[in-house]
Amino acid sequence: MKVQELILIIEDDDAISKMVSLSLHQQGYKTLVTPDIKSALRLLNANSPDLILLDLGLPDGDGKGLIKTVRSELSIPIIVVSARHEEKEVIASLDAGADDYVMKPFSIDELLARIRSAQRRFLGLQPMVNVILCHEIKLDIEHHLAWNGDELLKLTPTEFNLLKYFILHRNQVLPYARILKDVWGVGYQNEMQYLRTYINTLRKKIETDTARPSYIQTELGIGYRFICEHFDNTISLEKD
Ligand code: CA
């Protein structure tokens, strides 16, 4: 049986937190509800929620401060649910480390869709396996090592993360902004030059012919697609 996911709702408006909590229960989630930052921190220490829904205007402070605190310690999705519609609030929340922003008033269906989407993104980035093989490329996720055939690849941490991200999202069209957000972080969505530079260096390290790449395909005007038809995550590395 699937373990029920626990969602922490930080919201000082009783009507909203009750409505959200009830809807989440109907969808099979468990919830914890708290109206302020102080008790949210206590609940975070005592429980391990799978996702946080966060209001910004709270009686004991601004939720953005809490995003930074949580982000420095926990890797779980944070969705801001706020009545603040200004673009600068949205950007500041995403910069602080929130994964998504839902504006009040919202429909519960929209919120549920955002929750599922945030969970999918996080699951995609956290493989359950330690070693994955894609054609000739082998990744040891735990030790941050990569091989092309028998050759150990000298990758920078960012190159490794980019390669890992591609393999975990193999065969999908990945828009530039999404790759930048997921690999570099929120706030980097427009840094196209970063991405181009890293794609070039990564291609040099993994492609036999960079002019005709067999792994990293360019999807013109959209992004990239990492081709991986032979995928295996059941292999193990010999210990030495
Ligand atoms: Ca509020």
Side-chain angles (χ1 to χ4, degrees):
M1 200 187 96
K2 191 181 169 297
V3 180
Q4 281 183 304
E5 307 250 11
L6 178 64
I7 297 188
L8 175 61
I9 304 167
I10 306 168
E11 170 63 71
D12 63 333
D13 184 326
D14 269 356
I16 293 178
S17 61
K18 279 197 182 107
M19 185 268 287
V20 170
S21 187
L22 184 68
S23 305
L24 288 172
H25 288 167
Q26 286 167 350
Q27 299 293 320
Y29 294 100
K30 286 190 293 183
T31 60
L32 283 169
V33 179
T34 178
D36 57 51
I37 292 173
K38 197 165 162 233
S39 54
L41 287 170
R42 209 171 49 235
L43 284 173
L44 274 165
N45 284 328
N47 303 271
S48 8
D50 298 292
L51 184 142
I52 296 172
L53 295 178
L54 175 67
D55 181 23
L56 292 183
L58 294 164
D60 57 348
D62 190 308
K64 288 197 289 296
L66 186 63
I67 299 174
K68 286 195 185 117
T69 310
V70 172
R71 219 6 110 232
S72 64
E73 291 173 16
L74 292 173
S75 176
I76 55 170
I78 302 171
I79 300 177
V80 168
V81 182
S82 174
R84 298 179 192 167
H85 288 206
E86 302 89 3
E87 194 174 74
K88 68 172 177 32
E89 281 292 323
V90 177
I91 292 170
S93 300
L94 296 176
D95 279 347
D99 299 281
D100 206 347
Y101 195 103
V102 176
M103 286 177 190
K104 294 174 181 171
F106 56 89
S107 82
I108 195 72
D109 285 340
E110 182 195 358
L111 183 65
L112 290 168
R114 301 287 192 96
I115 289 172
R116 286 192 297 269
S117 156
Q119 286 176 311
R120 271 199 304 274
R121 277 201 300 276
F122 262 71
L123 284 176
L125 293 174
Q126 291 176 330
M128 298 300 156
V129 292
N130 286 329
V131 180
I132 44 185
L133 185 71
C134 181
H135 296 271
E136 293 291 300
I137 294 177
K138 188 164 68 183
L139 283 194
D140 178 346
I141 306 271
E142 190 186 350
H143 301 103
H144 274 235
L145 296 171
W147 292 264
N148 191 4
D150 293 330
E151 180 202 352
L152 182 64
L153 293 170
K154 293 197 179 72
L155 300 180
T156 66
T158 302
E159 286 166 357
F160 183 87
N161 286 336
L162 183 60
L163 181 60
K164 179 174 97 174
Y165 179 78
F166 274 138
I167 292 181
L168 293 173
H169 297 83
R170 59 197 172 275
N171 305 320
Q172 305 172 28
V173 179
L174 299 164
Y176 306 116
R178 181 173 158 202
I179 302 171
L180 283 160
K181 176 169 182 267
D182 289 349
V183 177
W184 276 264
V186 172
Y188 286 87
Q189 286 94 319
N190 297 318
E191 301 287 350
M192 283 291 297
Q193 200 48 46
Y194 275 45
L195 184 56
R196 283 205 194 95
T197 305
Y198 275 90
I199 294 287
N200 283 340
T201 60
L202 192 55
R203 274 180 173 154
K204 281 186 191 131
K205 293 179 182 183
I206 64 170
E207 302 283 4
T208 313
D209 180 357
T210 52
R212 288 184 203 77
S214 59
Y215 290 111
I216 306 173
Q217 309 281 319
T218 299
E219 295 283 332
L220 219 58
I222 303 168
Y224 298 98
R225 185 202 303 263
F226 194 89
I227 302 296
C228 176
E229 272 139 26
H230 303 284
F231 175 78
D232 189 351
N233 60 10
T234 59
I235 54 171
S236 58
L237 287 182
E238 282 174 29
K239 296 256 183 281
D240 56 16

